[in-house]
């Protein structure tokens, strides 16, 4: 970890990008803001230091939400070409939603990045999410009442839309990236929507200095998210083990088909994750919400405890039933839509 006000050194950049060394190519998501421009500049400097390394392709998504976006995309293109990196701009076309704009824009961005990656035969896409972004994501999910998986926030690598999404800067602060660009004399765009308090993330961002005074700075919150990510990974191993245990003790057991009493004897968190796995696997309206899975688990526990013979519920496009002492999760029939 470096000084928050110091540029990223060449040695630290080598450590950050070392996992990329044997990749054939990487798409860099570059909006024109300081974080993504720094990602592109650092990756280009690192790549030039190698005899062999991945081809770098910068992709800018113009969401069509600000008139300045087209000019910012051209600025990124010019810088990319100066750095010896191919560049493409993709535009989010069509009617934009009147509400939920950040979420819709994020979904469009990943869809277009996946399209750009496929067009270039690339499977790895890198974004410039920082430690500050990680802390804000943790707070957003905390306020929504997320479970352990949600509070783990963003992973360093995630499978998404047929690509491997990489976030190499999760342990780097925005201040370090800005210091890096200033030292290199490289300009960047300023998106005023990042300060628009009509949106949740900018409101939380404005609270960060106050939280930092109480010890909950971005580094601390990101470290907590990392620890929860570690716990989440361990729990997933236990869930896999629970599936194997149920299968070994019951020849009829299979994912989504369990002896009710053996299932009820498992720890609650394991039961919840087994249910979520089965529902997400069978359902066609998922992913299932944690709160609804918790409510379903309570119903199952009560039915087993009272000796209820049979019942059936649907959730996220899956049918969950209790019959003859077994819990069964299957695809639910499609909903019927009335005409008129």
């Amino acid at each position: 970890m470096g000084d928050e006000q110091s540029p990223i050194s060449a040695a630290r950049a080598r450590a950050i990008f070392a996992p990329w060394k044997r990749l054939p190519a990487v798409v860099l998501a570059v909006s024109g803001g300081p974080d993504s421009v720094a990602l592109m500049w650092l990756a280009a400097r690192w790549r030039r230091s190698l005899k062999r390394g991945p081809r770098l392709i910068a992709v800018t998504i113009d969401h069509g939400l600000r008139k300045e976006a087209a000019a910012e995309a051209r600025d990124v293109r010019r810088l990319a070409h100066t750095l010896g990196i191919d560049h493409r701009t993709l535009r989010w076309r069509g009617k934009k939603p009147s509400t939920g704009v950040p979420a819709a824009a994020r979904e469009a961005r990943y869809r277009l990045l996946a399209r750009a990656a496929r067009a270039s035969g690339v499977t790895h896409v890198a974004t410039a999410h920082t430690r500050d972004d990680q802390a804000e994501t943790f707070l957003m999910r905390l306020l929504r009442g997320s479970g352990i998986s949600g509070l783990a926030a963003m992973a360093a690598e995630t499978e998404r839309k047929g690509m491997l999404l990489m976030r190499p800067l999760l342990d780097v602060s925005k201040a370090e990236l800005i210091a890096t660009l200033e030292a290199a004399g490289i300009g960047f765009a300023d998106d005023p929507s990042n300060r628009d308090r009509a949106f949740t993330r900018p409101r939380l961002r404005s609270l960060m200095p106050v939280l930092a005074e109480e010890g909950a700075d971005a580094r601390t919150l990101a470290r907590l998210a990392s620890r929860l990510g570690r716990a989440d990974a361990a729990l997933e191993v236990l869930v896999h083990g629970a599936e194997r245990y149920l299968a070994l003790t019951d020849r009829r057991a299979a994912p989504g088909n369990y002896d009710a009493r053996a299932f009820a004897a498992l720890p609650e968190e394991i039961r919840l994750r087994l249910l979520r796995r089965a529902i997400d696997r069978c359902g066609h309206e998922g992913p299932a919400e944690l709160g609804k899975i918790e409510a379903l688990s309570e119903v199952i526990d009560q039915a087993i405890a009272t000796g209820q013979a049979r019942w059936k519920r649907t959730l996220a496009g899956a049918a969950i039933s209790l019959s003859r002492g077994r819990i069964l999760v299957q695809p639910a029939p499609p909903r019927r839509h009335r005409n008129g």
Side-chain angles (χ1 to χ4, degrees), residues 129-158 167 170-171 201 218-236 269 273 276 290:
H129 290 104
T130 65
R131 181 193 300 150
D132 304 72
D133 297 315
Q134 183 77 310
E136 292 161 10
T137 299
F138 172 83
L139 288 175
M140 290 176 71
R141 295 184 180 180
L142 179 67
L143 295 175
R144 292 173 186 165
S146 294
I148 293 175
S149 296
L151 293 177
M154 295 180 286
E157 293 186 352
T158 309
R167 302 179 178 96
L170 281 183
D171 198 34
R201 192 176 285 273
R219 187 191 296 273
T220 300
L221 294 176
R223 184 184 298 122
L224 176 55
S226 176
R227 288 169 175 166
L228 288 167
R230 193 170 62 213
D232 185 57
L235 283 167
E236 283 299 297
E269 181 68 20
R273 288 173 181 248
R276 172 173 259 175
L290 176 58

Side-chain angles (χ1 to χ4, degrees), residues 40-340:
M40 180 171 66
W41 187 83
L42 286 166
R45 184 179 67 172
W46 165 78
R47 177 61 186 85
R48 285 198 303 270
S49 70
L50 304 175
K51 290 183 177 179
R52 297 179 61 184
R55 175 189 175 204
L56 301 178
I57 306 165
V59 175
T60 302
I61 308 300
D62 180 353
H63 294 90
L65 299 173
R66 297 183 300 112
K67 61 182 181 181
E68 302 88 355
E72 291 168 3
R74 289 193 294 270
D75 289 341
V76 173
R77 182 183 63 195
R78 282 193 288 269
L79 178 58
H81 289 170
T82 299
L83 297 172
I85 295 177
D86 292 339
H87 178 268
R88 291 164 198 171
T89 297
L90 298 180
R91 292 173 176 81
W92 181 24
R93 302 187 185 279
K95 187 177 180 180
K96 307 302 188 292
S98 55
T99 60
V101 173
R106 182 170 58 252
E107 182 65 23
R109 178 163 60 254
Y110 286 123
R111 184 177 67 250
L112 292 170
L113 285 171
R115 180 189 301 173
R118 286 193 299 270
S120 300
V122 179
T123 57
H124 293 70
V125 176
T127 66
H129 290 104
T130 65
R131 181 193 300 150
D132 304 72
D133 297 315
Q134 183 77 310
E136 292 161 10
T137 299
F138 172 83
L139 288 175
M140 290 176 71
R141 295 184 180 180
L142 179 67
L143 295 175
R144 292 173 186 165
S146 294
I148 293 175
S149 296
L151 293 177
M154 295 180 286
E157 293 186 352
T158 309
E159 291 274 358
R160 187 180 181 122
K161 296 186 180 297
M163 62 184 178
L164 185 66
L165 187 63
M166 305 185 298
R167 302 179 178 96
L169 304 180
L170 281 183
D171 198 34
V172 178
S173 72
K174 178 184 286 288
E176 290 175 293
L177 296 179
I178 291 176
T180 299
L181 294 180
E182 289 177 343
I186 296 173
F188 51 85
D190 176 31
D191 183 351
S193 66
N194 289 327
R195 298 185 298 277
D196 188 345
R197 292 177 62 83
F199 302 123
T200 303
R201 192 176 285 273
R203 290 198 301 272
L204 289 176
R205 190 171 296 141
S206 69
L207 294 175
M208 290 304 294
V210 178
L211 293 174
E213 290 179 1
E214 300 298 330
D217 59 6
R219 187 191 296 273
T220 300
L221 294 176
R223 184 184 298 122
L224 176 55
S226 176
R227 288 169 175 166
L228 288 167
R230 193 170 62 213
D232 185 57
L235 283 167
E236 283 299 297
V237 172
L238 293 178
V239 173
H240 182 67
E243 282 189 324
R244 294 187 63 189
Y245 164 77
L246 291 172
L248 288 171
T249 56
D250 175 11
R251 63 183 177 82
R252 296 169 59 191
N257 183 349
Y258 308 117
D259 176 83
R261 294 205 173 275
F263 180 84
L266 295 170
E268 183 179 7
E269 181 68 20
I270 304 302
R271 298 199 307 272
L272 292 170
R273 288 173 181 248
L274 282 172
L275 280 175
R276 172 173 259 175
R277 280 190 182 187
I279 291 169
D280 287 349
R281 186 184 295 121
C282 296
H284 48 82
E285 298 175 5
E289 296 177 18
L290 176 58
K292 293 181 179 180
I293 295 175
E294 289 171 334
L296 175 66
S297 180
E298 290 180 8
V299 173
I300 291 174
D301 290 347
Q302 184 177 11
I304 294 172
T306 58
Q308 189 171 341
R310 63 175 62 230
W311 58 258
K312 189 173 184 178
R313 300 285 191 279
T314 59
L315 176 60
I320 305 94
S321 61
L322 173 65
S323 178
R324 298 180 180 180
R326 302 196 69 80
I327 297 168
L328 187 62
V329 183
Q330 298 174 300
R335 296 177 186 270
R336 294 183 178 180
H337 298 283
R338 295 181 179 179
N339 296 325

